């Protein structure tokens, strides 16, 4: 190891004024309406007289604009930057890049699913250290009515897409070609998922195997994929504040935020915890 490698890394020196400008833009981005100067100053904890020069410079480069009533909001260049970031993001690739860390943290299998031509389709599986006897493989699928992942898509995807698949499974259940289930209870469970923001399943549809699943949303509030952690019931914590549920929600919420999603701006998204 070289002498340079032995030396502890020094904290990098930044430009304080740029960091302050970033704090101003962040507050404006989180606001759902244009802001008064004094409200913005209070939010970033600086005096209005100190804030004004920042706003002048941010207006000059199009990051901020002033309404006819004198309020401040993000400007056209801020929108251009945001769209550029979104165009560079890909939900699937971003999830693939990060999913190994979730599997390592939970030590359980992680399956990624999207909505395909025939319903919920598994597109990637990362094995965990805990072995399970379940046919979860890329290219396979999850039933809408019998699995946590299927119910998750029913909760957050357009009924125009999901209802035909649910209807087919209802017909199969009526003829004995699929597991029987209570439709009224199923509809109530789906409604509860919308409020809760995730779903779990205990020992079903495979005895001894349980799962936790949560959605990844994009900037428009559309579910892009589901992240499902699957494992032996004895090793998976399904409690709302349990280790497994927390790990899955922290993973999907962080990823959704990086894809531009804001729960505060979208009704029907993940509920705050």
């Amino acid at each position: 190891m070289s002498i340079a490698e032995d030396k502890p890394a020094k904290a990098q020196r930044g430009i304080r004024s740029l960091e302050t400008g970033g704090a101003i833009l962040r507050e404006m981005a989180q606001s759902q309406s244009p802001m008064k100067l004094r409200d913005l100053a209070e939010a970033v904890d600086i005096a209005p007289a100190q804030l004004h020069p920042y706003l002048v410079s941010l207006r000059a480069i199009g990051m901020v604009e002033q309404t006819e009533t004198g309020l401040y909001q993000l400007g056209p260049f801020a929108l251009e930057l945001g769209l550029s970031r979104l165009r560079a993001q890909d939900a699937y690739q971003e999830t693939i890049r990060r999913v190994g860390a979730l599997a390592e943290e939970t030590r359980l299998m992680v399956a990624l699913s999207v909505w395909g031509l025939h319903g919920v389709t598994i597109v990637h599986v990362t094995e965990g250290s805990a072995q399970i006897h379940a046919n979860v493989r890329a290219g396979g699928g999850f039933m809408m009515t019998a699995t946590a992942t299927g119910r998750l898509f029913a909760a957050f995807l357009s009924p125009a897409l999901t209802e035909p698949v649910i209807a087919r499974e209802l017909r199969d259940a009526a003829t004995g070609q699929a597991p029987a289930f209570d439709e009224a209870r199923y509809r109530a469970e789906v409604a509860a998922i919308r409020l809760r923001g995730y779903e779990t399943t205990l020992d079903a549809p495979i005895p001894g195997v349980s799962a936790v699943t949560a959605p990844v949303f994009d900037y428009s509030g559309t579910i892009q994929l589901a992240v499902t952690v699957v494992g032996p019931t004895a090793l998976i914590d399904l409690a709302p504040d349990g280790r497994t549920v927390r790990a899955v929600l922290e993973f999907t919420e962080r990823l959704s935020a990086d894809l531009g999603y804001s729960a505060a701006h979208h009704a029907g998204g993940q509920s705050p915890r």
Side-chain angles (χ1 to χ4, degrees):
M1 183 178 292
S2 67
I3 294 176
E5 291 173 325
D6 282 334
K7 293 181 179 178
K10 294 182 179 179
Q12 293 184 326
R13 183 178 179 182
I15 301 175
R16 185 63 178 273
S17 60
L18 286 178
E19 294 173 3
T20 301
I24 294 168
L25 294 172
R26 186 176 299 109
E27 288 295 335
M28 297 179 75
Q30 293 175 349
S31 174
Q32 298 188 37
S33 59
M35 302 182 71
K36 295 179 180 179
L37 176 65
R38 67 170 180 270
D39 293 338
L40 184 55
E42 181 179 350
V44 295
D45 195 24
I46 62 176
Q50 292 177 301
L51 173 62
H52 188 261
Y54 283 99
L55 293 175
V56 170
S57 294
L58 291 171
R59 286 180 64 191
I61 60 174
M63 290 296 291
V64 169
E65 63 183 11
Q66 197 168 12
T67 68
E68 294 179 355
T69 57
L71 303 180
Y72 292 92
Q73 62 185 12
L74 293 179
F77 187 44
L79 174 61
E80 185 178 337
L81 288 177
L83 291 174
S84 177
R85 164 73 171 171
L86 293 172
R87 284 192 292 266
Q89 292 288 89
D90 180 276
Y92 175 74
Q93 293 300 331
E94 277 297 307
T95 310
I96 290 293
R97 186 172 66 84
R98 308 181 192 194
V99 73
L102 180 61
E104 183 176 348
E105 179 184 355
T106 60
R107 299 184 179 180
L108 300 169
M109 174 190 288
V110 183
L112 307 181
S113 306
V114 301
W115 186 259
L117 292 176
H118 305 291
V120 181
T121 304
I122 303 168
V123 291
H124 180 84
V125 175
T126 298
E127 297 284 351
S129 57
Q131 296 299 311
I132 61 171
H133 299 288
N135 187 26
V136 180
R137 55 181 177 76
F142 286 119
M143 289 186 65
M144 294 292 295
T145 56
T147 67
T149 308
R151 292 191 294 273
L152 189 82
F153 274 95
F156 293 111
L157 199 61
S158 168
L161 295 173
T162 60
E163 285 301 324
V165 180
I166 294 171
R168 184 182 68 221
E169 292 185 13
L170 278 170
R171 291 193 298 271
D172 290 344
T175 59
Q177 300 179 54
F181 74 102
D182 184 329
E183 184 180 0
R185 179 179 177 182
Y186 173 77
R187 300 292 183 183
E189 289 173 344
V190 168
I193 294 168
R194 293 192 189 99
L195 298 176
R196 187 168 58 241
Y198 68 96
E199 175 63 321
T200 63
T201 186
L202 176 66
D203 292 328
I206 302 173
V209 176
S210 297
V212 179
T213 185
V216 173
F217 297 108
D218 65 12
Y219 67 95
S220 69
T222 302
I223 180 174
Q224 291 296 303
L225 50 84
V227 177
T228 305
V229 170
V230 186
T233 297
L235 300 180
I236 192 166
D237 188 350
L238 300 182
D241 59 347
R243 182 177 61 86
T244 310
V245 172
R246 284 203 317 270
V248 174
L249 288 178
E250 287 172 2
F251 180 87
T252 55
E253 289 173 2
R254 187 182 311 115
L255 182 54
S256 295
D258 289 346
L259 293 171
Y261 175 74
S262 172
H265 294 170
H266 292 93
Q270 289 167 292
S271 58
R273 293 180 289 125

